[in-house]
Amino acid sequence: MFKVKFADIGEGLTEGKVAEVLVKMGQEIKEGDALFFVETDKVNSEIPAPVGGKIANILISEGQEIKVGDVVIEIDDGSGAAEATPVAEVKTKNEPIEENASVVGSTPVSNDVIASRATTNTTAEVSNSGVKATPLARKIAADKKIDLSTIKGTGPHGRILVSDLDSAPVAASNASTASKTAMKSVEIDAPLSWDSIPMNGIRKATVKAMVKSHSENAAFTGMKNINITPTYEMRAMLKDGCESKGIKLTYLAFIVKAAAKVLEEMPNINVRIDAENNAILQVHNINIGIAVDTEKGLMVPVIKGANHLSVFEIANKIGELAKKARDGKLAMTEMKDATFTVSNFGSVGLDYATPIINSPESAILGVGTMTKTPIFVKDEIKAGWIMPFSMTCDHRIIDGGDAGRFLMKIENYLSNPALLLM
């Protein structure tokens, strides 16, 4: 008998919530078949079977919170009897609705046992049978009279998740009630009031990470304006050819490649601190995280081995990972093991910022809005493109001089982008 445990998924994630159990008692499965669908603070994922065999015991249920190391399913793989494992307790019906920790956002998770859909409402019922959806999404759709057949699912195999219901039209009676509520007058001198909005999973993870970073790092930020006119001209020359091959060539691809090359030249930036042993760990891998602004919060997918990729391969990776982040489809492995992060806050109109280090990394590079401006070139004024950069480092192990040298090397590559294509 093989006991399947919820494995350590890294990135500080120690627990998850079961969104759907995908197997039944007595079902024959193969190694790699999906056992259940789990939602965590950062990502949704199907958990595969580590061995083949017959499902002997299911110790989890939909909506249940599980922790790393919990035995979740027992598989009869022919290896012999397993010790008896108590069935996980089902939460009582009267417990409050919880907020699900999910990459696709705020998902209200009821601890009620999901009953058959009976109602006394006189509104016409919507039939959602035969549509792939998680039980939680199906229950919410029933409550709001949403026709699931009109929704495109973003979960595995097209399964509809709760977040897919956000833009769905609701029944006319519900819409009318919402409209009447919105029309209520508000007294100007009324006592202070507010709505309490539960944090979604991504926001909870962000809170933890930001507090950890501010409490552990001695952060400082250095800023520099860089003339990227040569990179602007190089991109303009290559853009159409890249698009014909399905490559969206962005300035960020050049910046990530430049950062990867400088990290090779300055391994003292690609570090993390081992405070317990009073040591500095120089990481051999160059894995660059890309901060992506999504509707649900900030996600940081990782471009692994960025120093071994071309500008064009990096451009493809950025597009692929950013789309997955916004669609809530990032795999756990795509958010692990970053050694340095690039945050493009210029995309939301900021010139400068003081980006926060993504621990346990020790530095982050922020990119501001590119601006066309007059520039002196050999005592002549010409139109050019300036991009502001903000670099935050942990002063415990990276000095201001190192940050300055890093930014100057970035400037050298973006002033001579042909070096990035070699």
Side-chain angles (χ1 to χ4, degrees):
M1 194 77 69
F2 189 95
K3 294 184 177 182
V4 180
K5 294 182 178 181
F6 184 43
D8 183 357
I9 53 183
E11 292 297 285
L13 300 178
T14 59
E15 60 188 20
K17 197 176 290 281
V18 179
E20 185 173 4
V21 179
L22 304 174
V23 292
K24 298 177 180 179
M25 289 288 293
Q27 179 178 334
E28 292 284 349
I29 59 165
K30 299 176 184 175
E31 180 180 344
D33 285 354
L35 295 176
F36 63 99
F37 189 53
V38 67
E39 297 173 332
T40 73
D41 284 347
K42 291 188 177 181
V43 69
N44 297 337
S45 184
E46 287 183 342
I47 303 300
V51 297
K54 181 185 288 187
I55 301 298
N57 206 355
I58 299 174
L59 307 175
I60 52 175
S61 58
E62 278 107 6
Q64 179 182 335
E65 187 175 285
I66 54 176
K67 298 185 181 297
V68 169
D70 286 354
V71 177
V72 290
I73 288 176
E74 292 181 350
I75 301 172
D76 184 356
D77 62 345
S79 61
E83 296 178 8
T85 304
V87 177
E89 294 180 2
V90 179
K91 295 182 179 179
T92 61
K93 294 178 66 175
N94 294 325
E95 288 183 354
I97 290 178
E98 298 176 334
E99 185 68 12
N100 183 27
S102 163
V103 73
V104 293
S106 172
T107 305
V109 178
S110 173
N111 292 319
D112 293 352
V113 175
I114 298 176
S116 59
R117 194 167 56 84
T119 179
T120 57
N121 195 315
T122 57
T123 306
E125 292 294 325
V126 177
S127 174
N128 286 321
S129 60
V131 181
K132 285 185 178 180
T134 65
L136 300 173
R138 195 178 296 280
K139 183 177 186 297
I140 292 171
D143 293 342
K144 293 186 176 182
K145 308 298 183 293
I146 295 173
D147 183 356
L148 291 180
S149 65
T150 65
I151 307 297
K152 183 178 180 181
T154 60
H157 311 300
R159 185 177 288 108
I160 295 171
L161 307 176
V162 174
S163 61
D164 297 325
L165 306 180
D166 291 346
S167 59
V170 298
S173 58
N174 291 350
S176 175
T177 301
S179 177
K180 289 177 182 176
T181 302
M183 292 173 64
K184 287 182 180 178
S185 61
V186 179
E187 292 182 37
I188 294 176
D189 293 328
L192 191 65
S193 63
W194 56 82
D195 293 326
S196 179
I197 303 171
M199 294 184 187
N200 65 27
I202 295 175
R203 182 55 53 193
K204 289 177 185 175
T206 300
V207 168
K208 284 182 187 176
M210 296 302 98
V211 171
K212 184 177 190 296
S213 181
H214 263 300
S215 63
E216 292 183 358
N217 296 319
F220 74 93
T221 303
M223 301 177 183
K224 182 175 179 60
N225 288 333
I226 293 179
N227 178 5
I228 68 156
T229 305
T231 297
Y232 173 86
E233 294 169 347
M234 176 71 75
R235 176 181 174 270
M237 183 176 65
L238 298 172
K239 184 182 175 184
D240 290 344
C242 287
E243 285 183 355
S244 68
K245 296 180 180 178
I247 300 171
K248 185 179 180 181
L249 187 60
T250 63
Y251 296 107
L252 188 58
F254 287 94
I255 294 165
V256 170
K257 181 61 178 178
K261 290 184 78 70
V262 178
L263 288 171
E264 281 186 314
E265 298 167 15
M266 296 185 68
N268 56 315
I269 301 294
N270 200 46
V271 292
R272 52 189 62 187
I273 194 167
D274 180 0
E276 192 174 320
N277 296 305
N278 292 317
I280 298 172
L281 308 179
Q282 282 196 353
V283 187
H284 299 147
N285 315 68
I286 295 178
N287 301 334
I288 298 185
I290 304 296
V292 178
D293 179 36
T294 75
E295 290 183 1
K296 308 301 181 183
L298 189 67
M299 307 291 292
V300 188
V302 182
I303 299 175
K304 306 283 179 71
N307 53 320
H308 299 303
L309 302 177
S310 70
V311 171
F312 310 109
E313 290 170 325
I314 289 172
N316 266 340
K317 271 289 181 185
I318 290 172
E320 173 192 327
L321 292 172
K323 185 177 188 306
K324 283 186 176 182
R326 294 187 180 106
D327 292 346
K329 293 183 178 180
L330 282 170
M332 295 172 184
T333 54
E334 292 172 319
M335 297 186 65
K336 293 178 60 177
D337 300 331
T339 64
F340 184 86
T341 295
V342 175
S343 179
N344 181 20
F345 43 72
S347 63
V348 292
L350 295 178
D351 294 330
Y352 303 97
T354 53
I356 298 176
I357 297 165
N358 188 19
S359 296
E361 301 161 38
S362 295
I364 179 172
L365 182 65
V367 183
T369 304
M370 185 173 72
T371 306
K372 191 174 186 179
T373 186
I375 297 174
F376 274 101
V377 180
K378 295 181 180 179
D379 295 330
E380 292 183 8
I381 298 177
K382 295 184 177 180
W385 293 91
I386 292 292
M387 183 176 282
F389 286 80
S390 305
M391 184 176 180
T392 301
C393 303
D394 183 353
H395 213 327
R396 292 179 299 170
I397 53 177
I398 298 176
D399 294 330
D402 294 323
R405 283 182 282 274
F406 185 95
L407 288 173
M408 285 193 291
K409 285 178 176 288
I410 291 287
E411 180 178 36
N412 179 59
Y413 279 116
L414 296 180
S415 298
N416 301 279
L419 298 173
L420 300 174
L421 303 179
M422 296 172 62

